[in-house]
C-alpha cells in the first residue's frame, strides 16, 4: 500500500480527479495514514478499517476500478491471486494490477484487465486515463473479466471438475494402490478463513459421496484434516483427503 499511496500522489500531481477507499485493518494502518498525510493525499484517501464482507460488495459496486499494487517481498512473500481480484471482476469493477505472483492468471492485459509495473507511475496514470476516456475498452474488459470468473472461479464448476478427476483416479481398472491422497491448497486472507474452511468441508463430503457411489469400490476410511499457518499476507489452508480401499 505504500506504493499505492505514492501512486495516488502522482495521480493528484497529474491532475487526475479521484477518490480512493482502502478497506482492511492491520498494524501498518497508523504508518500508512501518516504517509498519506505526508504525501498530501489524505483528502483523497479514506481508510475504512475492517468491514464486513457484505460491505466489500458495496464498495466494489461504488468503485470504478480496483488497483492492486502487489509486490514480491525480499523474503519471497507474495499475494498469489487475491480473492478481491476475481470478486471485483465478477462485480463489473475494472482491475488494474501489477504482474506480481499469480495475478496474471486472471488479469490478462487488455483482455480482462490492465497490467502495470509497481513503481512506474506513468504506466498506471496512462492506464487509468485510458479507462476514463475509452468506454469501448472499459466495457470489453468488464465483459471478458466476468466471463473469466464464470468459467474459472465458480465453486460449483470447480467442485464438479475435482469430483470428476477423483472419480477417474479412483477407477480400480486404472489404479489399485492401497492408499490414495488428494491435496488441495488454498491461499486465503484471514477474513476468508471460515468460508474456505466450510468450502473445503463441502468438497470433502462431495468426494466421499462420489467414492461411495462406486459399486466396485468400498471406502473403508476417509480422513479429513485442515492445517493452517500464518504467513505475512494471510493464512494458508491445506486440506487433505485420504482414502483407503
Amino acid at each position: 500500500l505504500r506504493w499505492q499511496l505514492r501512486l495516488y500522489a502522482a495521480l493528484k500531481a497529474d491532475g487526475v480527479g479521484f477518490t480512493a477507499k482502502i478497506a482492511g485493518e492491520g498494524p501498518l494502518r497508523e504508518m500508512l495514514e501518516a504517509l498519506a498525510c505526508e504525501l498530501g493525499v489524505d483528502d483523497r484517501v479514506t481508510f475504512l478499517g475492517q468491514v464486513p464482507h457484505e460491505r466489500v460488495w458495496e464498495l466494489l459496486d461504488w468503485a470504478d476500478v480496483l488497483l492492486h499494487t502487489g509486490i514480491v517481498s525480499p523474503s519471497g512473500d507474495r499475494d498469489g491471486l487475491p480473492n478481491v481480484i476475481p470478486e471485483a471482476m465478477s462485480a463489473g469493477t475494472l482491475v488494474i494490477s501489477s504482474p506480481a505472483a499469480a495475478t496474471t492468471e486472471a488479469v490478462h492485459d487488455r483482455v480482462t484487465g490492465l497490467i502495470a509495473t509497481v513503481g512506474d507511475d506513468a504506466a498506471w496514470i496512462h492506464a487509468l486515463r485510458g479507462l476514463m476516456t475509452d468506454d469501448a475498452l472499459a466495457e470489453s474488459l468488464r465483459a471478458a473479466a466476468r466471463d473469466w470468473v464464470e468459467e474459472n472461479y465458480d465453486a460449483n464448476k470447480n467442485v464438479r471438475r475435482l469430483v470428476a478427476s477423483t472419480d477417474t483416479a479412483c477407477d480400480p481398472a486404472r489404479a489399485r494402490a492401497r492408499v490414495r491422497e488428494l491435496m488441495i491448497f488454498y491461499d486465503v486472507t484471514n477474513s476468508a478463513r471460515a468460508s474456505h474452511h466450510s468450502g473445503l468441508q463441502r468438497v470433502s463430503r462431495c468426494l466421499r459421496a462420489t467414492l461411495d457411489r462406486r459399486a466396485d469400490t468400498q471406502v473403508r476410511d476417509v480422513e479429513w484434516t485442515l492445517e493452517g499457518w500464518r504467513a505475512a499476507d494471510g493464512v494458508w489452508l491445506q486440506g487433505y483427503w485420504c482414502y483407503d480401499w
Side-chain angles (χ1 to χ4, degrees):
L1 284 177
R2 284 173 289 190
W3 286 105
Q4 193 160 138
L5 291 175
R6 293 187 177 96
L7 171 59
Y8 292 150
L11 285 170
K12 185 175 180 179
D14 202 59
V16 178
F18 69 94
T19 299
K21 295 182 180 180
I22 298 176
E25 191 61 74
L28 298 180
R29 179 175 177 177
E30 185 175 340
M31 179 274 290
L32 292 170
E33 289 179 329
L35 180 60
C37 291
E38 178 185 330
L39 295 171
V41 294
D42 52 308
D43 60 331
R44 304 286 187 93
V45 181
T46 302
F47 291 85
L48 302 174
Q50 185 174 354
V51 299
H53 193 65
E54 57 270 19
R55 173 65 172 145
V56 173
W57 291 104
E58 293 175 4
L59 291 170
L60 289 175
D61 185 58
W62 166 84
D64 295 305
V65 61
L66 171 78
L67 302 185
H68 175 69
T69 51
I71 61 172
V72 179
S73 74
S75 66
D77 284 338
R78 66 198 70 194
D79 285 320
L81 175 59
N83 286 331
V84 70
I85 287 180
E87 286 174 350
M89 292 166 64
S90 72
T93 305
L94 297 165
V95 176
I96 305 177
S97 174
S98 65
T103 54
T104 52
E105 180 180 325
V107 185
H108 307 151
D109 194 31
R110 299 190 70 80
V111 178
T112 59
L114 297 177
I115 296 295
T117 303
V118 170
D120 186 354
D121 293 339
W124 290 83
I125 293 172
H126 177 75
L128 284 164
R129 286 194 177 278
L131 295 178
M132 292 170 64
T133 57
D134 191 337
D135 292 340
L137 173 62
E139 290 308 310
S140 173
L141 296 177
R142 283 193 184 96
R146 176 72 188 194
D147 288 345
W148 186 93
V149 171
E150 290 183 358
E151 178 60 29
N152 298 282
Y153 225 70
D154 184 299
N156 294 319
K157 285 185 179 179
N158 289 335
V159 167
R160 286 195 293 269
R161 289 167 181 158
L162 184 57
V163 168
S165 297
T166 304
D167 196 39
T168 300
C170 293
D171 187 345
R174 299 186 59 184
R176 294 298 303 175
R178 183 70 173 169
V179 178
R180 288 286 180 270
E181 181 177 80
L182 175 65
M183 294 186 295
I184 306 297
F185 296 89
Y186 281 80
D187 173 12
V188 304
T189 61
N190 288 321
S191 63
R193 182 174 187 175
S195 63
H196 276 260
H197 189 171
S198 175
L200 288 170
Q201 289 177 321
R202 287 197 301 272
V203 174
S204 180
R205 289 193 296 270
C206 191
L207 290 175
R208 178 164 192 168
T210 298
L211 290 172
D212 287 342
R213 285 198 304 268
R214 298 195 60 88
D216 53 0
T217 304
Q218 181 180 5
V219 180
R220 299 194 327 195
D221 181 58
V222 178
E223 178 186 356
W224 161 255
T225 62
L226 180 67
E227 297 179 358
W229 64 93
R230 187 173 301 278
D233 54 353
V235 173
W236 294 75
L237 299 183
Q238 184 176 13
Y240 298 89
W241 294 269
C242 302
Y243 305 94
D244 186 6
W245 66 86

